[in-house]
């Protein structure tokens, strides 16, 4: 089969790889019909997440049709499914509490130790996302092996096109969980950093969850325009002192909740960010936590901090005093995708939301390298890339 | 034997070395005083968390703990009855076919002995404990036990502890510290495999095909 493979920092190549086959009884194999490039893939592409090896197949946002099933799978050949990026067993202690991205069993034991050293505990398995999360082959490919296919994939109706369903695999539930983690009370003012796909779905979710106002912060005009179309008040960090603006816009109180939908690769020429950039470049496990620092400083006293943006290392100059003295709460995590998919599918079926507005570019899988490059370097126009094998 | 070696005093050639020796002696004395200081009870550290845990005489003691959502009975049944588990194990012994009280050490452990190393179950308490020790003239002396403890709604905490004293140094076991580290890691992996098999019915793998490496 053809698959988008990692060949080194900034080097994606579509190559011929072996077809997957059933390995464990609960597996299924799907033929991919649509797959997307995620902001998280850019962290791999830029080499800031460790544990990616040459020839690893990337991609964790995908959907398709079942073409083979193991003897314990409950799916049938021909069924149409969206596949969550977090792999989970459904039976461990964490899964029993629907914290699927904390699953204890889905990452192969040999791959658990690096994450355990770095984070104190091992991570769950994920598709196409480095050996920290199991080294599973990803979905930017013609075929994918899906473990625990009796619980992981979401069977979707035939009459809704791929483009409206695909983002149930990651970014739509991620925006949804980011808003839930902000514990929005009706009428609240929420500030969202980052108007990439995750930020935009966070804004959409915040309004669905009854936010009164959403202030959207980014430095890319095209993306701020999309945020405005969703009803948010755009603020460009290149032109604005963000802390000042947020105070003024909220009558001196600050946003009730702040959401960091940017993560470890923040842009901007702030001093802390430039220092982080140097440290990240020399590979000492430093995250560029500029946005998180700013969000914590901006948040109102007693407010909530929600962090869907991905971090993988350590952060200097973390405003711990502000967290403590203002009595903030912080919630974060890889998304427990499958916990939210039924609810979100319902919103899509009832036409309350149509996530396909995000898609700016459609490419054949063979042009994955172009997709990655432009999604990173031309953010004004390349909002979301969907590929078809 | 390396792990029993005392200090061989180095010939002392000059005052600088006396100075160094004095510094080391003071430091060592300090450690002793710290250790003996009333009020610090090293045995009070929970489970295997004491800082000097790894050495008990000539034995190296290591272990691992996981919680499994199953009863002790189900856990024992899988460990002693599910042949799918056994080839995956690194250090946790598993039952020898038709002699129920014999346990076979997995290949990693067998490597450290040039003769087969049989372990025999020496104590069993239903739902609580299984203990074993090696027998005969193998090239290692080994004691181990598996203990089950109720961990509330989270399931059963399963702890394995192994104490190993090699008789001769087998080539695969470079140093005592490496041995202890490998054992500890391997036992944790083994318990995690056991948990996977019990909770999910399979052992997680990222392989794309059954025949892939
Ligand atoms: N928690 C999860 O499970 C999960 C899932 C998917 C994605 N993510 C993470 O969410 C983050 C966003 O993903 P995405 O797909 O939208 O990525 P993206 O790269 O397309 O978007 C990031 C946006 O942040 C903006 N930005 C950069 N620096 C900024 C700053 N200083 N202030 C304000 N905005 C700034 C960029 O201009 C860009 O528009 C990434 O870190 C990604 O890894 C997390
Ligand atoms: Zn993603
Ligand atoms: Zn699980």
């Amino acid at each position: 089969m053809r698959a988008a493979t990692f060949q080194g920092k900034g080097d994606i190549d579509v190559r011929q790889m072996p077809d997957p086959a059933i390995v464990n009884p609960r597996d299924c194999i799907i033929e991919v019909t649509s797959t997307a490039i995620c902001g998280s893939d850019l962290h791999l592409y830029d080499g800031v997440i460790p544990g990616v090896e040459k020839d690893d197949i990337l991609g964790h946002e995908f959907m398709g049709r079942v073409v083979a099933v193991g003897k314990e799978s409950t799916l049938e050949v021909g069924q149409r499914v969206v596949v969550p990026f977090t792999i989970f067993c459904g039976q461990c202690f964490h899964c029993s509490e629907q914290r699927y991205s904390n699953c204890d069993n889905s990452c192969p034991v040999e791959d658990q130790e690096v994450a355990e050293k770095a984070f104190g505990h091992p991570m769950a398995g994920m598709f196409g996302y480095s050996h920290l999360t199991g080294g599973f082959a990803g979905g930017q490919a013609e075929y994918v092996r899906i473990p625990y296919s009796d619980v992981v994939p979401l069977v979707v109706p035939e009459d809704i096109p791929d483009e409206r369903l695909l983002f149930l695999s990651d970014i739509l539930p991620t925006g949804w969980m980011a808003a839930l983690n902000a514990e929005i009370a009706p009428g609240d003012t929420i500030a969202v950093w980052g108007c990439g796909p995750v930020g935009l779905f966070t804004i959409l979710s915040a309004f669905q969850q009854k936010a009164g106002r959403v202030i959207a912060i980014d430095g890319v005009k095209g993306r701020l325009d999309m945020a405005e179309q969703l009803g948010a008040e755009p603020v460009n960090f290149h032109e604005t002192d963000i802390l000042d603006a947020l105070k003024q816009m909220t009558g001196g109180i600050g946003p009730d909740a702040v959401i960091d939908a940017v993560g470890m690769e923040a842009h901007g020429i702030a001093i802390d960010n430039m220092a982080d950039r140097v440290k990240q470049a020399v590979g000492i496990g430093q995250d560029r936590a500029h946005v998180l620092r700013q969000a914590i400083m901006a948040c109102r006293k007693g407010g909530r901090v929600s962090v869907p943006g991905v971090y993988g290392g350590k952060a200097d100059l973390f405003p711990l005093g502000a967290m403590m003295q203002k009595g903030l709460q912080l919630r974060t995590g890889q998304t427990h995708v499958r916990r939210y998919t039924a609810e979100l599918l319902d919103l899509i079926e009832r036409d309350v939301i149509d996530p396909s507005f995000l898609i700016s570019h459609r490419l054949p899988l063979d042009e994955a390298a172009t997709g990655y490059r432009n999604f990173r370097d031309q953010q004004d126009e390349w909002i979301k890339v969907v590929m078809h094998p | 034997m390396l792990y029993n070696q005392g200090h061989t005093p180095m010939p002392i050639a000059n005052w600088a070395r006396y100075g160094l020796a004095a510094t080391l002696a003071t430091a060592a004395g300090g450690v002793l005083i710290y250790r003996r200081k009333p009020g610090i009870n090293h045995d009070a550290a929970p489970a295997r968390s004491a800082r000097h845990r790894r050495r008990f005489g000539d034995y190296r003691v290591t272990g691992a703990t996981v919680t499994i959502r199953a009863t002790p009975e189900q856990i024992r049944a899988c460990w002693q009855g599910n042949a799918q588990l056994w080839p995956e194990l690194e250090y946790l012994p598993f039952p020898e076919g038709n002699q129920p009280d014999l346990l076979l050490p997995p290949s990693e452990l067998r490597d450290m002995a040039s003769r087969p190393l049989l372990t025999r179950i020496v104590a069993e308490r239903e739902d609580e404990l299984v203990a074993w020790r090696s027998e005969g003239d193998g090239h290692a002396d080994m004691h181990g036990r598996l203990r089950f403890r109720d961990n509330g709604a989270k399931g059963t905490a399963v702890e394995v502890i192994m104490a190993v004293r090699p008789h001769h140094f087998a080539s695969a076991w470079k140093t005592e510290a490496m041995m202890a580290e490998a054992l500890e890691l391997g036992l944790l992996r083994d318990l995690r495999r056991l948990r996977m098999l019990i909770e999910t019915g399979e052992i997680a793998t990222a392989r794309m095909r059954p025949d892939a490496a």
Side-chain angles (χ1 to χ4, degrees):
Chain A
M1 68 167 183
R2 318 265 305 144
T5 62
F6 180 84
Q7 295 300 323
K9 199 171 154 179
D11 186 3
I12 305 294
D13 193 26
V14 176
R15 297 200 167 175
Q16 198 64 33
M17 300 297 284
D19 284 349
I22 301 290
V23 179
N24 273 334
R26 292 172 66 187
D27 291 354
C28 82
I29 307 291
I30 71 157
E31 180 175 15
V32 176
T33 51
S34 297
T35 176
I37 305 176
C38 177
S40 300
D41 291 328
L42 294 182
H43 304 320
L44 305 179
Y45 186 58
D46 292 338
V48 294
I49 297 253
V52 199
E53 292 170 12
K54 191 172 177 306
D55 286 335
D56 278 354
I57 300 176
L58 302 183
H60 59 268
E61 300 182 357
F62 58 99
M63 61 181 295
R65 255 181 219 288
V66 178
V67 292
V69 290
K71 62 180 194 304
E72 300 290 334
S73 174
T74 49
L75 295 175
E76 283 165 26
V77 170
Q79 270 181 318
R80 189 164 172 244
V81 293
V82 173
V83 183
F85 77 92
T86 31
I87 305 174
F88 65 95
C89 77
Q91 277 110 347
C92 68
F93 160 59
H94 300 286
C95 286
S96 76
E97 303 200 334
Q98 292 193 305
R99 284 195 312 275
Y100 299 127
S101 71
N102 297 142
C103 176
D104 259 340
N105 290 321
S106 59
C107 185
V109 285
E110 305 78 18
D111 277 327
Q112 293 193 4
E113 285 133 24
V114 182
E116 191 162 24
K117 276 224 166 73
F119 309 135
H121 291 85
M123 297 177 69
M126 287 179 202
F127 291 103
Y129 214 71
S130 92
H131 288 260
L132 282 179
T133 57
F136 286 90
Q140 289 161 7
E142 286 181 277
Y143 298 94
V144 190
R145 171 186 159 238
I146 315 292
Y148 316 115
S149 66
D150 52 326
V151 291
V152 174
L154 172 76
V155 177
V156 288
E158 289 291 334
D159 57 350
I160 305 177
D162 274 22
E163 293 194 345
R164 295 179 63 185
L165 297 169
L166 175 61
F167 302 138
L168 285 167
S169 59
D170 175 356
I171 51 174
L172 183 58
T174 295
W176 192 256
M177 182 167 120
L180 286 174
N181 278 348
E183 292 177 13
I184 300 170
D188 271 357
T189 298
I190 312 298
V192 178
W193 276 254
C195 299
V198 169
L200 291 170
F201 280 154
T202 301
I203 294 167
L204 183 136
S205 303
F207 281 125
Q208 284 291 323
Q209 293 171 31
K210 307 273 183 292
R213 293 170 70 191
V214 178
I215 300 168
I217 303 151
D218 203 299
V220 180
K221 172 95 180 40
R223 294 181 172 211
L224 284 168
D225 289 347
M226 291 187 81
E228 193 170 15
Q229 280 159 28
L230 291 172
E233 299 159 48
V235 178
N236 189 324
F237 71 82
H238 291 304
E239 296 156 2
T240 317
D241 181 325
I242 297 300
L243 293 181
D244 210 19
L246 289 173
K247 270 243 169 91
Q248 290 187 31
M249 293 168 84
T250 56
I253 291 177
D256 299 299
V258 294
I259 303 181
D260 168 3
V262 176
M264 64 199 286
E265 292 190 86
H267 304 162
I269 49 166
I271 293 171
D272 64 324
N273 206 36
M274 301 302 278
D276 287 349
R277 200 177 261 278
V278 173
K279 286 182 256 179
Q280 195 174 54
V282 295
I284 53 173
Q286 178 76 20
D287 288 340
R288 274 147 52 192
H290 169 66
V291 162
L292 185 53
R293 293 185 194 107
Q294 197 169 62
I296 289 171
M297 293 306 288
C299 190
R300 77 144 156 88
K301 290 187 275 185
R304 290 91 55 191
V305 183
S306 160
V307 187
V310 164
Y311 291 92
K314 308 221 153 120
D316 296 335
L317 301 174
F318 188 76
L320 198 51
M323 281 289 304
M324 192 278 164
Q325 300 294 346
K326 295 200 283 182
L328 307 184
Q329 291 180 46
L330 189 144
R331 293 181 70 187
T332 181
Q334 296 284 356
T335 305
H336 309 301
V337 176
R338 196 63 167 87
R339 180 168 172 176
Y340 310 109
T341 44
E343 190 177 0
L344 290 166
L345 176 60
D346 180 59
L347 292 180
I348 293 170
E349 282 185 297
R350 289 193 289 114
D351 255 340
V352 178
I353 55 176
D354 177 1
S356 64
F357 75 89
L358 210 66
I359 303 172
S360 60
H361 291 79
R362 297 162 178 86
L363 299 176
L365 178 65
D366 283 334
E367 289 174 31
T370 312
Y372 270 84
R373 197 176 336 103
N374 292 339
F375 180 49
R376 185 190 59 186
D377 299 337
Q378 299 188 38
Q379 298 207 325
D380 208 9
E381 281 164 19
W382 290 65
I383 310 290
K384 190 73 183 178
V385 184
V386 172
M387 302 186 293
H388 300 286
Chain B
M1 286 185 298
L2 194 62
Y3 36 87
N4 246 349
Q5 263 172 4
H7 277 287
T8 316
M10 306 261 288
I12 295 163
N14 55 38
W15 285 105
R17 286 198 182 161
Y18 277 123
L20 179 64
T23 311
L24 288 175
T26 313
V31 168
L32 278 178
I33 291 165
Y34 167 77
R35 289 217 152 181
R36 296 217 175 118
K37 195 170 125 193
I40 297 183
N41 177 3
H42 291 276
D43 289 337
R48 304 174 314 282
S49 59
R51 291 187 184 279
H52 64 305
R53 68 186 183 276
R54 285 190 167 150
R55 186 184 285 283
F56 285 86
D58 289 344
Y59 288 90
R60 274 288 185 162
V61 181
T62 57
T65 312
V66 300
T67 289
I68 302 181
R69 290 184 84 212
T71 62
E73 208 176 18
Q74 291 166 322
I75 297 166
R76 275 195 69 166
C78 181
W79 169 47
Q80 292 179 300
N82 191 333
Q84 196 191 332
L85 176 71
W86 305 334
E88 306 277 342
L89 294 175
E90 293 173 46
Y91 296 103
L92 187 67
F94 55 88
E96 212 286 40
N98 35 27
Q99 285 170 281
D101 64 333
L102 282 188
L103 295 175
L104 275 182
S107 58
E108 295 281 348
L109 267 186
R110 255 172 285 159
D111 284 349
M112 69 182 279
S114 51
R115 264 162 283 171
L117 184 72
L118 273 186
T119 51
R120 189 177 292 278
I121 292 181
V122 290
E124 275 183 89
R125 260 176 282 144
E126 199 65 33
D127 284 0
E128 202 188 320
L129 177 116
V130 186
W132 61 87
R133 67 166 298 173
S134 58
E135 58 174 27
D137 185 21
H139 278 196
D141 184 10
M142 192 176 0
H143 303 241
R145 67 158 175 72
L146 208 56
R147 202 181 65 178
F148 307 107
R149 194 168 43 79
D150 181 30
N151 201 7
K154 297 190 176 78
T156 303
V158 184
E159 182 189 48
V160 60
I161 290 196
M162 299 246 300
V164 182
R165 186 188 58 163
H167 294 321
H168 300 288
F169 247 85
S171 58
W173 297 81
K174 300 261 167 20
T175 70
E176 183 190 14
M178 274 172 69
M179 177 193 84
E181 214 168 278
L183 244 180
E184 188 154 294
L185 202 61
L187 286 172
L188 181 58
R189 288 177 171 191
D190 286 346
L191 288 190
R192 285 178 170 162
R193 294 181 175 104
L194 178 65
R195 181 181 60 205
M196 285 174 177
L197 200 55
I198 293 172
E199 290 184 346
T200 77
E202 50 189 54
I203 294 173
T205 175
R207 276 182 300 158
M208 280 172 71
R209 312 179 51 83
D211 49 7

